[in-house]
Amino acid sequence: MHILHHYFPHLTDHQRQLFSQLDTEFRGWNERLNLVARTDVDNLAERHFLHSLGIAKVVEFAPGSSVLDVGTGGGLPGLPLAILFPEVKFHLVDSIGKKIHAVQEMARALNLTNVTAEQTRAEQLRPKYDYVVSRAVARLATFHTWIAHRYKPQHEAAPNSGLYYLKGGDLTEEIEESGLKATIHDLSDFYTESFFETKKVVVVPSGR
């Protein structure tokens, strides 16, 4: 967990405790459900928790705002972000029921009252959100069609409302294909570990 404290030095003692507890809970569920590759478990803090928190390096979610995490899998990036932003409401969705069950149990164990989790697809949802986050679920052009109508109207939305999408590699062609006005933030600008050399946050403002 030292790596999280290094890059997020302002974590409270309670938040540090929650990240440590999430690490324990996640490992337990991963043994049963294989939420992430077994080879990645040794690097859970870096490759999953810190990676998820890369979104927080490019946006500060407004207190009282709402975030939709699409294709959350084992609760990433939603659970780490929910620990970091306790005054923000997070709704984590995935189509796989057993993964959502694990997310619900982890959120309950950590008493994350700002988290709800549901087995559904983004395009079936009715509520509107300020922000959408995800970790490389699909190509941007496809993914954006699922969430384009999930945003609050601009006059109601929080500042910097939009999509914050964790992706890797050269995204030039993918962004051109989508026709969206996207901004790319390199996580290597914030983190020095070699894992983050090709990792990015793609930002697409709502209403684009």
Side-chain angles (χ1 to χ4, degrees):
M1 290 294 106
H2 174 74
I3 197 169
L4 298 184
H5 308 161
H6 173 69
Y7 286 111
F8 292 88
H10 301 301
L11 290 174
T12 65
D13 289 344
H14 181 58
Q15 286 171 318
R16 292 180 180 211
Q17 178 199 329
L18 287 175
F19 276 116
S20 178
Q21 196 178 346
L22 177 61
D23 185 86
T24 302
E25 291 285 334
F26 198 98
R27 288 171 189 273
W29 281 101
N30 202 62
E31 285 182 12
R32 283 176 266 179
L33 297 180
N34 213 19
L35 300 172
V36 300
R38 298 287 163 96
T39 51
D40 263 7
V41 172
D42 291 340
N43 298 298
L44 194 57
E46 176 188 323
R47 297 187 180 181
H48 296 286
F49 298 169
L50 191 62
H51 187 211
S52 296
L53 296 178
I55 289 171
K57 291 294 186 184
V58 302
V59 64
E60 175 116 7
F61 296 134
S65 63
S66 56
V67 178
L68 172 66
D69 176 7
V70 176
T72 190
L76 304 167
L79 290 178
L81 290 169
I83 293 173
L84 196 65
F85 295 101
E87 296 178 7
V88 175
K89 293 184 176 67
F90 288 83
H91 190 56
L92 282 53
V93 303
D94 200 281
S95 59
I96 301 174
K98 61 186 180 181
K99 290 185 176 180
I100 283 296
H101 174 69
V103 171
Q104 289 169 336
E105 290 300 316
M106 285 189 278
R108 188 176 294 123
L110 272 63
N111 196 28
L112 294 177
T113 56
N114 60 331
V115 172
T116 54
E118 179 183 5
Q119 181 187 1
T120 187
R121 296 181 184 278
E123 55 272 48
Q124 295 171 327
L125 290 167
R126 286 292 157 264
K128 305 286 187 181
Y129 304 86
D130 296 289
Y131 310 97
V132 176
V133 298
S134 190
R135 286 217 307 178
V137 172
R139 286 180 75 83
L140 186 59
T142 303
F143 185 83
H144 198 261
T145 62
W146 301 344
I147 55 99
H149 303 295
R150 296 277 58 80
Y151 295 112
K152 292 178 183 175
Q154 295 234 294
H155 67 279
E156 292 179 17
N160 303 310
S161 172
L163 169 65
Y164 293 83
Y165 202 25
L166 290 162
K167 295 280 281 184
D170 184 353
L171 303 173
T172 311
E173 180 196 335
E174 189 171 331
I175 288 172
E176 280 180 10
E177 171 195 55
S178 74
L180 297 164
K181 288 188 173 68
T183 306
I184 296 175
H185 298 266
D186 294 312
L187 287 181
S188 59
D189 289 346
F190 309 105
Y191 302 143
T192 58
E193 287 72 19
S194 60
F195 174 75
F196 296 105
E197 281 174 11
T198 61
K199 300 292 188 286
K200 300 167 173 63
V201 180
V202 180
V203 180
V204 181
S206 61
R208 296 294 167 89

